[in-house]
Amino acid sequence: MSDLVWQHMNLCPGGDPGTVISDAALAVRDGRIMWLGAASDLPREFAAWPREDLGGAWVTPSLVDCHTHLVFGGHRADEFALRLAGASYEEIARRGGGIVSTVKATRAADENALFEAAAARLEPLLTEGVGAIEIKSGYGLELATERKMLRVARALGRRYPVSVYTTFLGAHALPPEYAGRADAYIDEVCNRMLPALADEGLVDAVDVFCERIGFTLAQSERVFEAAARHGLSVKMHAEQLSLSGGAALSARYRALSADHLEFLDEAGVQAMKEAGTVAVLLPGAYYFIRETQLPPIELLRRYEVPIALATDCNPGTSPAVSLLAMLNLGCTLFRLTVPEVLQGVTRHAARALGRSEHHGELAPGRQADFVAWSVTTLAELAYWIGRPLAARVVRAGATVY
Ligand code: NIG
Ligand code: FE
């Protein structure tokens, strides 16, 4: 590692297009940012350092995908066909398809196969500019397979230039062997699975699917209490298909985020504001299951709840491997603004992971993780659909893509 001054760029250090430094410079030593600002203000101590010219590119912090189910076996293109023929996501789940069919495929896959399948989905995200990603378990629903998924997530973080944060989602669906015994399964999640996986260092946070086809408020609360006993932060799949009060419960447990939120009400928004819980919106899932209930964007704005956006990459509701595409969907479907979606995949997404100190912003002292975009305005990031825009992806000062 060495010293380098990156120059000739429009720098957007906070992910907010309102604050751009034109003709900026960025001094990096051993992978860390030493200084950033207008090139004309570059302090003398950096003047003699080698230079790297970015040719007038626009630079943002690396993107953060704060909600994914990237690791899973198989896919559900067959179920997609059923839905095209009229079946709803919820109907398919009730018939024993949906999440449970992915559970079968994930249990059957060995660790290598699972790694390769997930890597194929991770690569397009990374070349697009993602530098940090959350990966959930939740397709094992038994200790051994939940462990296998989380190990694969950790292994991806070692193999690829990305920070991986793992979330234990044991309470994603009721495994068939517990049919009619949901409380007994929650016992297993709280008393056996979570303690074991947390002890093995495989868990960074804990999530629950609180829904008619998931778990009740009371069951979700038991999982949150178990997480608290292990000193782990929580998040929730909340108010996705119906209003259950999950977001308000999450806020009571100081959740990092409540995610989906199409059916969120004002009381929930207010509770999230007071707790500092981030609203993670998943426009890919909204789009893919043809939801019509929009998340309460105006209320989230009025209460100034930070909004993040993520791919929710998963085989059932969002087979998406592009975070930039989510910017477009966030703007077109949710009427979010360009500054909102950009901060939604930088600053606010980092906060949804409880990692604001490490990701989502460029500042002296931080690791030099940034993307140089070949665009003429940052609005292009939300405008194009499916067009590669990252000219360079830099991690710890080194060009990785
Ligand atoms: O985020 N809602 C629950 N979990 C996922 C979907 C999982 C699946 O269908 O496989 C989601 O939408
Ligand atoms: Fe999800």
Side-chain angles (χ1 to χ4, degrees):
M1 279 292 182
S2 56
D3 300 336
L4 193 60
V5 172
W6 300 78
Q7 64 180 12
H8 198 191
M9 72 185 103
N10 297 298
L11 178 62
C12 174
D16 175 3
T19 356
V20 171
I21 309 169
S22 47
D23 195 11
L26 186 70
V28 176
R29 164 169 281 176
D30 294 337
R32 300 241 146 236
I33 300 171
M34 304 298 290
W35 182 89
L36 58 81
S40 54
D41 296 337
L42 184 73
R44 277 204 175 169
E45 52 186 305
F46 308 115
W49 286 17
R51 304 289 173 115
E52 184 82 37
D53 197 292
L54 285 172
W58 289 70
V59 169
T60 68
S62 292
L63 307 183
V64 179
D65 193 353
C66 67
H67 177 142
T68 87
H69 309 249
L70 192 85
V71 174
F72 56 83
H75 61 71
R76 305 225 293 275
D78 46 351
E79 172 183 315
F80 180 49
L82 285 179
R83 286 205 301 104
L84 290 175
S88 78
Y89 178 69
E90 199 165 338
E91 279 157 19
I92 289 168
R94 288 189 191 285
R95 277 191 241 149
I99 295 175
V100 169
S101 73
T102 299
V103 169
K104 280 193 200 113
T106 306
R107 288 178 179 179
D110 70 30
E111 209 164 304
N112 279 335
L114 219 45
F115 180 95
E116 292 307 327
R121 293 184 282 268
L122 181 62
E123 284 170 9
L125 288 164
L126 302 189
T127 54
E128 194 187 43
V130 170
I133 189 169
E134 185 247 22
I135 301 179
K136 300 176 195 293
S137 70
Y139 291 120
L141 311 183
E142 65 182 9
L143 179 57
T145 311
E146 292 289 303
R147 175 188 289 124
K148 180 171 69 179
M149 292 182 72
L150 294 169
R151 283 171 50 91
V152 167
R154 287 274 192 251
L156 289 166
R158 287 191 297 270
R159 169 84 70 85
Y160 286 93
V162 63
S163 303
V164 169
Y165 298 103
T166 57
T167 299
F168 172 59
L169 177 55
H172 193 196
L174 192 60
E177 56 279 18
Y178 276 89
R181 297 186 296 133
D183 284 312
Y185 179 62
I186 292 296
D187 287 341
E188 171 75 7
V189 165
C190 296
N191 302 331
R192 207 165 84 89
M193 292 159 73
L194 176 57
L197 298 170
D199 279 355
E200 290 166 37
L202 289 170
V203 181
D204 296 326
V206 175
D207 193 349
V208 182
F209 184 26
C210 180
E211 189 54 69
R212 294 185 295 230
I213 57 168
F215 295 92
T216 64
L217 275 181
Q219 289 160 347
S220 302
E221 183 159 13
R222 289 180 53 205
V223 176
F224 283 179
E225 271 166 8
R229 284 197 294 277
H230 291 273
L232 293 166
S233 304
V234 297
K235 26 182 69 226
M236 185 189 270
H237 281 71
E239 335 295 11
Q240 179 185 13
L241 307 170
S242 60
L243 175 66
S244 65
L249 174 69
S250 305
R252 271 208 278 130
Y253 281 81
R254 296 269 173 254
L256 292 171
S257 69
D259 304 33
H260 286 286
L261 303 175
E262 280 82 346
F263 289 83
L264 179 64
D265 63 356
E266 184 160 0
V269 174
Q270 191 169 357
M272 287 174 67
K273 169 65 187 172
E274 281 157 16
T277 298
V278 176
V280 176
L281 303 183
L282 304 165
Y286 173 92
Y287 160 78
F288 193 73
I289 65 173
R290 305 187 74 221
E291 183 55 72
T292 52
Q293 170 81 29
L294 282 164
I297 303 292
E298 274 315 321
L299 283 174
L300 292 170
R301 283 183 181 137
R302 195 179 324 141
Y303 284 87
E304 298 178 318
V305 174
I307 296 173
L309 252 66
T311 59
D312 194 15
C313 176
N314 79 74
T317 66
S318 191
V321 294
S322 167
L323 189 54
L324 290 182
M326 300 305 121
L327 301 190
N328 182 276
L329 292 182
C331 292
T332 53
L333 298 176
F334 295 168
R335 312 313 281 166
L336 293 170
T337 64
V338 170
E340 281 172 333
V341 294
L342 284 176
Q343 293 187 73
V345 294
T346 52
R347 237 153 49 82
H348 294 166
R351 178 162 165 190
L353 294 179
R355 307 287 161 164
S356 296
E357 310 304 308
H358 300 287
H359 304 288
E361 248 171 280
L362 297 170
R366 286 173 174 248
Q367 185 165 295
D369 291 354
F370 59 87
V371 186
W373 305 97
S374 48
V375 297
T376 57
T377 154
L378 288 176
E380 282 191 76
L381 299 184
Y383 166 77
W384 298 105
I385 303 173
R387 178 170 175 177
L389 296 171
R392 287 229 213 177
V393 180
V394 175
R395 181 170 173 84
T399 300
V400 290
Y401 293 106

Tab-separated table of all heavy atoms in Angstrom, residues 67 69 76 79 89 98-99 102 139 169 172 209 237 240 260 282 285 312 314-318, ligand 1:
chain	number	residue	atom	x	y	z
A	67	HIS	N	-30.346	-5.097	2.677
A	67	HIS	CA	-31.343	-6.146	2.929
A	67	HIS	C	-31.318	-7.123	1.755
A	67	HIS	O	-31.798	-6.810	0.663
A	67	HIS	CB	-32.739	-5.501	3.072
A	67	HIS	CG	-33.878	-6.471	3.274
A	67	HIS	ND1	-34.938	-6.195	4.127
A	67	HIS	CD2	-34.147	-7.685	2.731
A	67	HIS	CE1	-35.805	-7.206	4.096
A	67	HIS	NE2	-35.342	-8.122	3.255
A	69	HIS	N	-31.368	-11.594	0.717
A	69	HIS	CA	-31.394	-13.031	1.045
A	69	HIS	C	-30.578	-13.693	-0.065
A	69	HIS	O	-31.071	-14.525	-0.822
A	69	HIS	CB	-32.821	-13.574	1.003
A	69	HIS	CG	-33.832	-12.801	1.796
A	69	HIS	ND1	-34.412	-13.297	2.942
A	69	HIS	CD2	-34.397	-11.569	1.607
A	69	HIS	CE1	-35.292	-12.406	3.424
A	69	HIS	NE2	-35.298	-11.350	2.623
A	76	ARG	N	-37.206	-19.883	-8.094
A	76	ARG	CA	-38.655	-20.148	-8.089
A	76	ARG	C	-39.327	-19.630	-9.355
A	76	ARG	O	-40.410	-19.053	-9.309
A	76	ARG	CB	-39.293	-19.551	-6.822
A	76	ARG	CG	-38.635	-20.055	-5.526
A	76	ARG	CD	-39.617	-20.461	-4.460
A	76	ARG	NE	-40.387	-19.372	-3.908
A	76	ARG	CZ	-39.997	-18.582	-2.914
A	76	ARG	NH1	-38.814	-18.738	-2.353
A	76	ARG	NH2	-40.789	-17.621	-2.471
A	79	GLU	N	-42.781	-20.915	-9.791
A	79	GLU	CA	-43.791	-20.217	-8.985
A	79	GLU	C	-44.180	-18.885	-9.634
A	79	GLU	O	-45.337	-18.441	-9.563
A	79	GLU	CB	-43.200	-19.999	-7.590
A	79	GLU	CG	-44.007	-19.146	-6.676
A	79	GLU	CD	-43.276	-18.953	-5.345
A	79	GLU	OE1	-42.742	-19.939	-4.788
A	79	GLU	OE2	-43.236	-17.803	-4.877
A	89	TYR	N	-48.836	-14.221	-4.025
A	89	TYR	CA	-47.685	-14.659	-3.229
A	89	TYR	C	-48.160	-15.366	-1.969
A	89	TYR	O	-47.674	-16.439	-1.610
A	89	TYR	CB	-46.827	-13.431	-2.886
A	89	TYR	CG	-45.633	-13.732	-2.021
A	89	TYR	CD1	-44.559	-14.471	-2.514
A	89	TYR	CD2	-45.574	-13.263	-0.712
A	89	TYR	CE1	-43.453	-14.739	-1.718
A	89	TYR	CE2	-44.469	-13.519	0.083
A	89	TYR	CZ	-43.419	-14.258	-0.421
A	89	TYR	OH	-42.328	-14.508	0.378
A	98	GLY	N	-43.707	-21.280	-2.024
A	98	GLY	CA	-43.060	-20.088	-1.479
A	98	GLY	C	-41.776	-20.396	-0.743
A	98	GLY	O	-40.971	-21.222	-1.175
A	99	ILE	N	-41.588	-19.731	0.387
A	99	ILE	CA	-40.345	-19.829	1.139
A	99	ILE	C	-39.974	-21.292	1.397
A	99	ILE	O	-38.827	-21.698	1.257
A	99	ILE	CB	-40.467	-19.054	2.478
A	99	ILE	CG1	-40.632	-17.542	2.184
A	99	ILE	CG2	-39.266	-19.311	3.374
A	99	ILE	CD1	-40.878	-16.683	3.418
A	102	THR	N	-38.030	-23.073	-1.246
A	102	THR	CA	-36.608	-22.712	-1.251
A	102	THR	C	-35.879	-23.374	-0.083
A	102	THR	O	-34.686	-23.688	-0.173
A	102	THR	CB	-36.440	-21.180	-1.216
A	102	THR	OG1	-37.060	-20.639	-2.390
A	102	THR	CG2	-34.980	-20.766	-1.196
A	139	TYR	N	-33.474	-19.738	5.072
A	139	TYR	CA	-33.973	-20.790	4.191
A	139	TYR	C	-33.502	-22.163	4.676
A	139	TYR	O	-33.509	-23.128	3.923
A	139	TYR	CB	-33.524	-20.570	2.747
A	139	TYR	CG	-34.176	-19.375	2.073
A	139	TYR	CD1	-33.407	-18.323	1.595
A	139	TYR	CD2	-35.556	-19.318	1.915
A	139	TYR	CE1	-34.000	-17.235	0.966
A	139	TYR	CE2	-36.162	-18.237	1.291
A	139	TYR	CZ	-35.373	-17.203	0.819
A	139	TYR	OH	-35.957	-16.129	0.197
A	169	LEU	N	-32.132	-15.030	10.352
A	169	LEU	CA	-33.580	-14.926	10.119
A	169	LEU	C	-34.210	-16.309	10.289
A	169	LEU	O	-34.908	-16.819	9.422
A	169	LEU	CB	-33.825	-14.324	8.715
A	169	LEU	CG	-35.248	-14.160	8.183
A	169	LEU	CD1	-36.141	-13.354	9.119
A	169	LEU	CD2	-35.248	-13.523	6.802
A	172	HIS	N	-38.253	-16.968	9.750
A	172	HIS	CA	-38.643	-16.502	8.413
A	172	HIS	C	-39.949	-17.175	7.996
A	172	HIS	O	-40.808	-16.577	7.372
A	172	HIS	CB	-37.522	-16.848	7.420
A	172	HIS	CG	-37.633	-16.168	6.090
A	172	HIS	ND1	-36.931	-16.585	4.989
A	172	HIS	CD2	-38.359	-15.105	5.678
A	172	HIS	CE1	-37.212	-15.797	3.965
A	172	HIS	NE2	-38.073	-14.898	4.357
A	209	PHE	N	-39.761	-12.343	10.315
A	209	PHE	CA	-40.829	-12.045	9.362
A	209	PHE	C	-42.138	-12.030	10.150
A	209	PHE	O	-42.694	-13.075	10.475
A	209	PHE	CB	-40.858	-13.102	8.251
A	209	PHE	CG	-41.870	-12.846	7.147
A	209	PHE	CD1	-42.315	-11.571	6.833
A	209	PHE	CD2	-42.352	-13.910	6.386
A	209	PHE	CE1	-43.230	-11.352	5.804
A	209	PHE	CE2	-43.264	-13.710	5.350
A	209	PHE	CZ	-43.703	-12.423	5.063
A	237	HIS	N	-38.940	-7.766	9.043
A	237	HIS	CA	-39.790	-7.703	7.855
A	237	HIS	C	-41.180	-7.338	8.391
A	237	HIS	O	-41.852	-8.185	8.975
A	237	HIS	CB	-39.868	-9.064	7.179
A	237	HIS	CG	-38.680	-9.424	6.347
A	237	HIS	ND1	-37.465	-9.730	6.880
A	237	HIS	CD2	-38.553	-9.520	4.998
A	237	HIS	CE1	-36.616	-10.012	5.888
A	237	HIS	NE2	-37.254	-9.884	4.743
A	240	GLN	N	-45.519	-5.885	5.503
A	240	GLN	CA	-45.329	-6.098	4.058
A	240	GLN	C	-46.653	-6.416	3.352
A	240	GLN	O	-46.929	-5.877	2.282
A	240	GLN	CB	-44.329	-7.229	3.789
A	240	GLN	CG	-44.111	-7.497	2.291
A	240	GLN	CD	-43.208	-8.699	1.989
A	240	GLN	OE1	-42.917	-9.491	2.884
A	240	GLN	NE2	-42.766	-8.812	0.754
A	260	HIS	N	-39.724	-3.216	4.313
A	260	HIS	CA	-40.915	-3.376	3.444
A	260	HIS	C	-41.884	-2.215	3.705
A	260	HIS	O	-41.927	-1.274	2.951
A	260	HIS	CB	-41.642	-4.721	3.620
A	260	HIS	CG	-40.919	-5.871	3.008
A	260	HIS	ND1	-40.856	-6.081	1.662
A	260	HIS	CD2	-40.221	-6.882	3.573
A	260	HIS	CE1	-40.154	-7.173	1.407
A	260	HIS	NE2	-39.747	-7.674	2.551
A	282	LEU	N	-38.305	-1.631	-0.204
A	282	LEU	CA	-37.846	-2.678	-1.115
A	282	LEU	C	-38.703	-2.645	-2.374
A	282	LEU	O	-39.621	-3.469	-2.542
A	282	LEU	CB	-37.908	-4.024	-0.379
A	282	LEU	CG	-37.088	-4.002	0.925
A	282	LEU	CD1	-37.433	-5.179	1.832
A	282	LEU	CD2	-35.593	-3.988	0.634
A	285	ALA	N	-39.428	-5.880	-4.491
A	285	ALA	CA	-40.467	-6.799	-4.011
A	285	ALA	C	-41.851	-6.221	-4.299
A	285	ALA	O	-42.762	-6.934	-4.730
A	285	ALA	CB	-40.291	-7.070	-2.521
A	312	ASP	N	-33.367	-6.612	-1.632
A	312	ASP	CA	-34.136	-7.734	-1.089
A	312	ASP	C	-33.893	-8.995	-1.928
A	312	ASP	O	-34.758	-9.872	-1.989
A	312	ASP	CB	-35.642	-7.401	-1.046
A	312	ASP	CG	-36.448	-8.372	-0.193
A	312	ASP	OD1	-35.842	-9.129	0.594
A	312	ASP	OD2	-37.689	-8.368	-0.312
A	314	ASN	N	-33.935	-12.128	-3.451
A	314	ASN	CA	-34.453	-13.414	-2.956
A	314	ASN	C	-35.258	-14.074	-4.065
A	314	ASN	O	-35.696	-13.403	-5.000
A	314	ASN	CB	-35.297	-13.196	-1.685
A	314	ASN	CG	-36.702	-12.706	-1.986
A	314	ASN	OD1	-37.564	-13.454	-2.452
A	314	ASN	ND2	-36.958	-11.426	-1.748
A	315	PRO	N	-35.445	-15.400	-3.971
A	315	PRO	CA	-36.063	-16.108	-5.101
A	315	PRO	C	-37.576	-15.941	-5.196
A	315	PRO	O	-38.157	-16.289	-6.232
A	315	PRO	CB	-35.709	-17.573	-4.818
A	315	PRO	CG	-35.564	-17.637	-3.337
A	315	PRO	CD	-34.998	-16.324	-2.909
A	316	GLY	N	-38.223	-15.424	-4.142
A	316	GLY	CA	-39.683	-15.383	-4.160
A	316	GLY	C	-40.280	-14.045	-4.535
A	316	GLY	O	-41.246	-13.968	-5.301
A	317	THR	N	-39.728	-12.973	-3.978
A	317	THR	CA	-40.380	-11.676	-4.188
A	317	THR	C	-39.500	-10.646	-4.882
A	317	THR	O	-39.982	-9.578	-5.254
A	317	THR	CB	-40.837	-11.055	-2.844
A	317	THR	OG1	-39.676	-10.739	-2.060
A	317	THR	CG2	-41.728	-11.988	-2.059
A	318	SER	N	-38.205	-10.948	-5.038
A	318	SER	CA	-37.353	-9.933	-5.654
A	318	SER	C	-36.072	-10.558	-6.213
A	318	SER	O	-35.002	-10.429	-5.625
A	318	SER	CB	-37.010	-8.841	-4.620
A	318	SER	OG	-36.394	-7.735	-5.253
B	1	NIG	O1	-38.266	-10.128	1.840
B	1	NIG	N1	-41.181	-11.567	3.155
B	1	NIG	C1	-40.446	-12.452	3.467
B	1	NIG	N2	-39.240	-12.723	2.980
B	1	NIG	C2	-38.776	-12.382	1.671
B	1	NIG	C3	-39.296	-13.291	0.634
B	1	NIG	C4	-38.804	-14.651	0.816
B	1	NIG	C5	-39.240	-15.619	-0.235
B	1	NIG	O2	-40.353	-15.530	-0.784
B	1	NIG	O3	-38.429	-16.517	-0.492
B	1	NIG	C6	-39.014	-10.934	1.337
B	1	NIG	O4	-39.938	-10.562	0.589
